[in-house]
Every structure is written in C-alpha cells, then in structure tokens.
C-alpha cells in the first residue's frame, strides 16, 4: 500500500509489536470471537472440532483449551468441554445423547433443575424421563428398557445426601449398553474419582469449588473417550455454548488451590457436623461421613474425603417457623443457594414437597461450610439455636 494510513485506520491497525519472549506464571488471556487465519488455505483446512488449531472463539482459544485440559486432568478424564453454567453442562449431555423416543433415568434426589429439565424434555420433546431411588444400586437393571440411553447419577444428592452405589449402577448400565452420567460437583472431582468407578460422562458445576469465589457461573462435561466427546462437541456447537475469557481466567486462577480449599471445607464441615451431632435439637446429621447418612458405607468404600456441604434434620418437635427463625438469627452463615466459596451458607428445604417417600418428620437445613474458623461457625449456630429454639 502506498497511501499513508489515515488516523481512523491507524486506530485499528497499529504498527506496534510488543517484544517477544515474555514469560509469566498465569495462563494468558486470549479474548476472541474472530480468530484470524494467515490465508484462505489455512481457513479452509481447519476443522473446528480439532483442538490442535483455532477457528472461532466459540470453539476455543488457548485460554479455554488450557482450562479444559486442566479440568480433564483433575477429573482423570481425557476430554472436556466448557459450558456457561453447571446447568448448561447438564443440558449439553441431554442434547448429545438423547433424541425423541429415548428414555432417561434420573435419581429422585437429583439437583432440582436437572430433574425439571428431564421433565420438560419428556413433556415437550418426546423422550421419557423416569425417576429412581438413589439407593437402588444393582436394582437399576430392572428399570432399564430397550430405549433407555442414559442414566443420571449424583453422589451424594446435594440436599438429601444419599450416596448411591455408582460402580453397581455402572455395571448394570454397561451390561445393557447404557451410558452413565455423574454430576460430580459435590466432590469437585477430587474426593470421588468417577472414571475409576466406571462413570462414562462427568459433569462439574465449576461455579462451586473450582471457581471458589461465589463470583463465576460455569460448567464442564468431562469424558474419557473420543466418541463421547465428539457427540458432546456437536451439542456444544449447536447449542452455542461459549464461556467468557475473564470467567475462564478466574477459574484458572483458583484451580491450583482447589484441593487445599476442599480439604479445609471438609475439615470445617466435619467439625461443625460433630458439634451438631452432639446437640439434642438435631435428630439426624446427613453428612456422608456419619453412619446416619444413607449410603455411608459406600462413601467409606469409594470416597477419599468429603466436601463442605451437608444437611441436618431437626427434632420433629420444632416447627418450620422456629427453624426459619434460627436461620434468620444466624450472623456468619448467610442465606443463599450454591456453595464452594469462602462464605458459609444455610438454606431450609421443604423435603415433604420434594420427595415422594421422605422418611424424616423434622425440618431440614442444608449447610455449606465455608472457610471461616469452624469454632466461630459453631458459636453462631449456638447463639441462633438459643434465640430461636428455646
Ligand atoms: C450448582 C449445581 C449445578 C448447577 O450449576 P450452575 O452453575 O449453578 O448452573 C449442578 N449440579 C449441582 C449438584 C450443583 O450443586
């Protein structure tokens, strides 16, 4: 070009090139919708499904590929796809593996939006969705139909805390060629090694422990096999699931500490659970490390630790108004959904309306133990019990 660039064009096409050879510890941020090709041949020869090159921001950048690879490593899988929320990751699994006429089995204690998604797809999109007792184990075989394609699992259920026998469910499913998907969010993929126990597809809500700051929504689907990943990749592309580079960076920044944080949440939760267990106001501690928790023996067999989330059932003499009053009286514990951040949270659930055969009569509170000193959390619970229950 002979013409000197106008100011307007120079604003867009600067001549400056930063020096090469920069090195630093953080993963580099590559914000991009458009990805550039050096020539037409390069553009035509690239396949968006191959992760050895780049085609468009939605299909990946060095930042998102790095996050995907690290998440696959943590989980013990080989492939990973990111989604804009944990629920979007669950959606990706449904659309990758189910079509009209197919059947899906969902545990009765599943993360409620997963349950609702299954019911919506059954109502309006021609699949059938059936709900099973999470403690069914090998008995799942009797529920598998010729058109059953997918079995969802969750360990433990994130409110009622039953621990299913995942190896037994996988064995029965695989004998009939059915895929098993696990929502492994509670364990962050660290306390439960899903692929070693036979699971085919793992979902993580990175919103929880992986991001760790209560400030990001993101999800991931992780697999061990090429074919499963390709099916998921088509759903990922067709549904248009991309994640923002700043959010990807926040998760990358938190990942190196995820195991340390999980251990601290686990230790804090066990200290608080032990105190609650000793209180006369509490009828049952639903924490996988406690014998009252259904599936406790399976947790002992299959898990390497626990997370910070558990539930308690109050003695049936306390009304909902009283336990609501207790939650309102808490000072350190905040009222709010989700978990995995530094703050402790508490939410009451009306189990009688959520589950067909809920065995407890007392009120249920779900506690997410954050990273505060557990003795301060215990003192907070004690003062709130004193104010609301006496
Ligand atoms: C939070 C959560 C999800 C969904 O994650 P979002 O990012 O909030 O959509 C899915 N499964 C479980 C078990 C969760 O706790």
């Amino acid at each position: 070009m002979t013409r000197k660039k106008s100011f307007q064009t120079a604003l867009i096409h600067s001549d400056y090139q930063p020096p090469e050879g920069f090195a630093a510890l953080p993963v580099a941020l590559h914000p991009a919708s458009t990805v550039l090709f050096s020539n037409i041949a390069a553009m035509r020869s690239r396949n968006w499904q191959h992760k050895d090159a780049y085609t468009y921001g939605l299909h990946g950048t060095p930042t998102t590929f790095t996050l995907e690879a690290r998440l696959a490593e943590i989980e013990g899988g080989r492939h990973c796809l990111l989604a804009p929320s944990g629920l979007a990751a669950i959606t990706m699994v449904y659309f990758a593996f189910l079509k009209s006429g197919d059947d899906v089995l969902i545990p009765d204690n599943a993360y409620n939006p997963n349950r609702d998604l299954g019911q919506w797809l059954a109502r309006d999109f021609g699949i059938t969705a059936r709900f099973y007792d999470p403690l069914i184990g090998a008995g799942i075989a009797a529920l598998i139909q010729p058109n059953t394609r997918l079995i969802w699992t969750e360990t433990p259920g994130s409110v009622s805390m039953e621990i299913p026998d995942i190896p037994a469910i996988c064995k029965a499913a695989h004998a009939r060629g059915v895929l098993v998907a696990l929502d492994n969010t509670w364990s962050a993929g660290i306390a439960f090694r899903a692929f070693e126990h036979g699971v085919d597809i793992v979902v993580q809500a990175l919103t929880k422990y992986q991001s760790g700051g209560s400030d990001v929504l993101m999800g991931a689907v992780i697999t061990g096999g090429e074919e499963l990943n390709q099916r998921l990749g088509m759903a990922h592309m067709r549904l248009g699931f991309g994640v923002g580079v700043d959010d990807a960076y926040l998760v990358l920044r938190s990942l190196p500490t995820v195991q340390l944080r999980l251990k601290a949440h686990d230790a804090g939760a066990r200290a608080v659970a032990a105190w609650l267990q000793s209180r006369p106001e509490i009828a049952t501690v639903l924490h996988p490390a406690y014998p009252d928790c259904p599936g406790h023996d399976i947790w002992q067999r299959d898990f390497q630790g626990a997370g910070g989330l558990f539930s308690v059932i109050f003695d049936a003499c306390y009304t909902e108004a009283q336990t609501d009053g207790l939650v309102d009286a808490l000072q350190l514990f905040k009222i709010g959904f989700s978990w995995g951040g530094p703050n402790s949270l508490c939410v009451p659930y009306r189990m009688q309306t959520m589950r067909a055969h809920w065995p407890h009569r007392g009120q249920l509170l779900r506690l997410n133990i954050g990273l505060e000193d557990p003795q301060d959390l215990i003192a907070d619970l004690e003062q709130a019990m004193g104010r609301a229950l006496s």
Side-chain angles (χ1 to χ4, degrees):
M1 262 168 67
T2 51
R3 185 187 141 94
K4 184 176 183 301
K5 271 182 275 183
S6 75
F7 179 70
Q8 175 62 26
T9 301
L11 283 177
I12 303 164
H13 296 263
S14 166
D15 291 328
Y16 178 74
Q17 294 289 335
E20 293 195 1
F22 179 76
L25 294 168
V27 174
L29 266 77
H30 294 276
S33 50
T34 300
V35 166
L36 298 180
F37 304 95
S38 53
N39 53 47
I40 294 296
M43 189 195 87
R44 292 215 168 107
S45 68
R46 283 205 205 150
N47 180 335
W48 66 268
Q49 285 172 296
H50 293 171
K51 297 212 164 175
D52 53 2
Y54 306 97
T55 47
Y56 188 61
L58 196 57
H59 309 312
T61 62
T63 315
T64 56
F65 281 179
T66 303
L67 178 54
E68 288 174 346
R70 292 199 177 173
L71 292 166
E73 279 169 17
I74 290 171
E75 196 77 47
R78 285 182 47 218
H79 306 283
C80 173
L81 289 158
L82 298 174
S85 68
L87 183 54
I90 291 171
T91 308
M92 201 197 310
V93 174
Y94 275 102
F95 279 87
F97 299 110
L98 293 179
K99 61 180 184 334
S100 173
D102 289 345
D103 176 64
V104 58
L105 289 165
I106 305 169
D108 204 28
N109 62 352
Y111 175 66
N112 214 42
N114 182 354
R115 215 189 141 83
D116 180 70
L117 181 55
Q119 283 170 325
W120 175 50
L121 294 175
R123 201 170 54 240
D124 292 348
F125 294 86
I127 66 160
T128 53
R130 291 177 299 139
F131 295 89
Y132 67 88
D133 174 357
L135 297 171
I136 198 168
I140 194 101
L143 296 180
I144 297 174
Q145 301 173 169
N147 66 337
T148 305
R149 297 281 169 268
L150 180 68
I151 299 175
W152 276 105
T153 56
E154 203 173 311
T155 185
S158 64
V159 178
S160 50
M161 306 304 292
E162 301 94 335
I163 299 109
D165 190 339
I166 299 281
I169 291 173
C170 290
K171 194 162 171 248
H174 294 158
R176 303 278 295 275
V178 179
L179 292 170
V180 177
L182 169 68
D183 184 336
N184 203 16
T185 302
W186 186 81
S187 83
I190 293 171
F192 183 74
R193 308 296 294 157
F195 293 112
E196 291 168 21
H197 291 100
V199 169
D200 303 295
I201 304 148
V202 171
V203 164
Q204 284 288 345
L206 310 176
T207 307
K208 310 290 163 54
Y209 291 119
Q210 288 84 353
S211 60
S214 308
D215 53 0
V216 179
L217 287 160
M218 202 182 291
V221 184
I222 301 152
T223 50
E226 195 64 47
E227 200 190 318
L228 295 181
N229 186 57
Q230 274 177 20
R231 295 271 298 264
L232 286 159
M234 290 309 294
H236 184 262
M237 189 272 282
R238 288 170 173 155
L239 292 166
F241 282 167
V243 305
V245 69
D246 294 322
D247 287 347
Y249 181 74
L250 286 173
V251 180
L252 279 163
R253 196 176 193 277
S254 296
L255 268 190
T257 58
V258 65
Q259 174 163 251
L260 292 176
R261 287 184 284 110
L262 188 74
K263 278 191 176 147
H265 286 288
D266 181 1
R270 289 200 219 198
V272 174
W275 181 80
L276 286 164
Q277 175 88 350
S278 74
R279 293 291 301 202
E281 296 90 342
I282 302 297
T284 312
V285 173
L286 295 175
H287 183 300
Y290 281 76
D292 282 352
C293 194
H296 163 70
D297 51 330
I298 291 167
W299 176 80
Q300 279 187 314
R301 185 191 71 190
D302 291 349
F303 279 68
Q304 272 106 52
L309 191 84
F310 68 98
S311 298
V312 289
I313 312 271
F314 282 79
D315 188 288
C317 74
Y318 298 108
T319 63
E320 182 181 76
Q322 282 179 300
T323 53
D324 282 358
L326 186 161
V327 179
D328 281 336
L330 289 166
Q331 290 169 2
L332 293 177
F333 282 90
K334 304 298 177 193
I335 303 168
F337 295 105
S338 200
W339 30 282
N343 286 80
S344 290
L345 301 170
C346 182
V347 189
Y349 283 86
R350 290 180 165 153
M351 298 310 290
Q352 279 78 9
T353 66
M354 290 169 69
R355 296 290 293 281
H357 306 289
W358 183 245
H360 304 281
R361 288 198 306 118
Q363 304 297 319
L364 180 145
L365 291 186
R366 186 180 81 170
L367 302 173
N368 158 53
I369 303 305
L371 298 173
E372 302 95 336
D373 184 328
Q375 294 312 316
D376 289 335
L377 297 175
I378 289 168
D380 192 22
L381 287 164
E382 189 164 24
Q383 67 79 23
M385 279 184 178
R387 279 170 65 183
L389 302 187
S390 49

